[in-house]
């Protein structure tokens, strides 16, 4: 399974941690980061550009795929990796049980039906921010990015649908303690994929960064 060993190790590590509102995506990556920096520095590194949703269709980002042909699609891979207990996995790699902490709202779920796998930077927002110029292959890679822990995260369906395709100028996690990790994960994802921010988004991220002095952004550029 793609990144299964890395993700399984991360999930196992969570079993020893208290249920605190920190993002599983914010844990240290297996490989050294290419560009460690403060959140303020990372926000400053983002290019600014006007956004356009012209031509966007969700179907332009093919997901959830099984790129390594092991019967586990991207959704199931994330559920397996982020479960805080040994997940129950049935035929065809169907995850039927486990324990997941949704860091957006601080809620715990034991049934995967109550969870969405959230694209940290939503597909529509990625399109607006530069993905409209990508090839179909690169958009598929983005939509199924298992190469960075912060790209995809299991959260409650309610919180994910509240977020929808909004950026941090329009939506932030309802749990206050989640906002710094969220900003860090958002910025790292945009830097990883070379995506831009608009002026309102940049301002919101600057304001968040000003209160998140301990957050550091580490990312590996996507292939």
């Amino acid at each position: 399974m793609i990144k299964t060993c890395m993700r399984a190790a991360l999930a196992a590590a969570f079993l020893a941690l208290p249920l605190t509102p920190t993002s599983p995506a914010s844990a240290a990556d297996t490989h050294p980061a290419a560009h460690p920096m403060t959140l303020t520095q990372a926000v400053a590194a983002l290019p600014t550009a006007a956004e356009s949703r012209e031509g966007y269709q969700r179907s332009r980002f093919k997901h959830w795929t099984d790129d390594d042909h092991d019967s586990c699609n991207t959704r199931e891979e994330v559920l397996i990796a982020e479960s805080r207990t040994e997940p129950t996995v049935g035929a065809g790699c169907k995850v039927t049980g486990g324990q997941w902490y949704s860091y957006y709202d601080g809620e715990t779920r034991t049934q995967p039906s109550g969870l969405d796998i959230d694209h940290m930077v939503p597909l529509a927002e990625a399109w607006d921010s530069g993905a409209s110029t990508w090839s179909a292959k690169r958009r598929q890679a983005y939509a199924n990015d298992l190469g960075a822990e912060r790209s995809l995260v299991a959260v409650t369906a309610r919180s994910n649908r509240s977020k929808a395709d909004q950026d941090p100028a329009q939506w932030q996690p309802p749990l206050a303690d989640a906002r710094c990790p969220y900003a860090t994960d958002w910025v790292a994802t945009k830097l990883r994929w070379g995506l831009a921010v608009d002026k309102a988004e940049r301002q919101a991220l600057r304001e968040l960064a000003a209160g998140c002095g301990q957050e550091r952004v580490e990312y590996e550029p996507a292939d």
Side-chain angles (χ1 to χ4, degrees):
M1 291 183 284
I2 300 174
K3 297 291 179 182
T4 298
C5 292
M6 179 176 72
R7 286 180 167 270
L10 180 65
F14 282 151
L15 298 182
L17 296 176
L19 297 182
T20 53
T22 56
S23 166
S26 296
D29 292 335
T30 298
H31 302 292
H35 304 279
M37 62 187 87
T38 68
L39 180 54
T40 297
Q41 290 170 333
V43 172
L46 289 164
T48 302
E51 295 187 353
S52 173
R53 195 154 299 183
E54 182 178 357
Y56 171 71
Q57 295 178 350
R58 189 173 175 83
S59 60
R60 293 181 181 269
F61 294 81
K62 185 178 180 182
H63 65 289
W64 306 109
T65 60
D66 176 16
D67 293 337
D68 60 355
H69 308 292
D70 66 349
S71 299
C72 297
N73 67 25
T74 304
R75 173 182 166 83
E76 308 302 335
E77 294 264 20
V78 176
L79 288 173
I80 291 169
E82 295 192 358
S83 178
R84 291 186 163 189
T85 61
E86 185 69 26
T88 304
V89 183
C93 197
K94 181 67 174 178
V95 179
T96 58
Q99 185 185 84
W100 294 272
Y101 178 73
S102 169
Y103 92 95
Y104 289 175
D105 50 14
E107 296 188 13
T108 298
R109 293 287 184 270
T110 58
Q111 297 298 317
S113 59
L115 298 165
D116 284 350
I117 305 304
D118 182 40
H119 291 93
M120 179 54 57
V121 175
L123 301 180
E125 169 68 20
W127 178 272
D128 299 349
S129 306
S132 61
T133 66
W134 294 351
S135 67
K137 182 178 180 181
R138 186 166 179 82
R139 285 195 292 269
Q140 178 175 323
Y142 176 84
N144 299 275
D145 184 13
L146 293 172
E149 298 296 339
R150 43 177 52 99
S151 295
L152 300 167
V153 59
V155 295
T156 59
R158 179 175 59 185
S159 65
N160 184 47
R161 292 165 197 181
S162 171
K163 174 186 174 186
D165 58 7
Q166 300 176 94
D167 69 31
Q170 304 157 325
W171 184 93
Q172 294 175 21
L175 189 66
D177 286 349
R179 291 171 192 163
C180 289
Y182 179 71
T184 301
D185 293 350
W186 180 279
V187 171
T189 301
K190 284 219 159 179
L191 287 171
R192 172 171 166 77
W193 288 93
L195 297 171
V197 293
D198 63 20
K199 291 181 179 179
E201 180 184 353
R202 179 183 293 282
Q203 183 58 32
L205 290 168
R206 282 174 174 163
E207 291 172 2
L208 282 166
C212 300
Q214 300 305 310
E215 296 289 337
R216 292 186 64 80
V217 175
E218 300 181 356
Y219 73 97
E220 291 282 354
D223 294 333

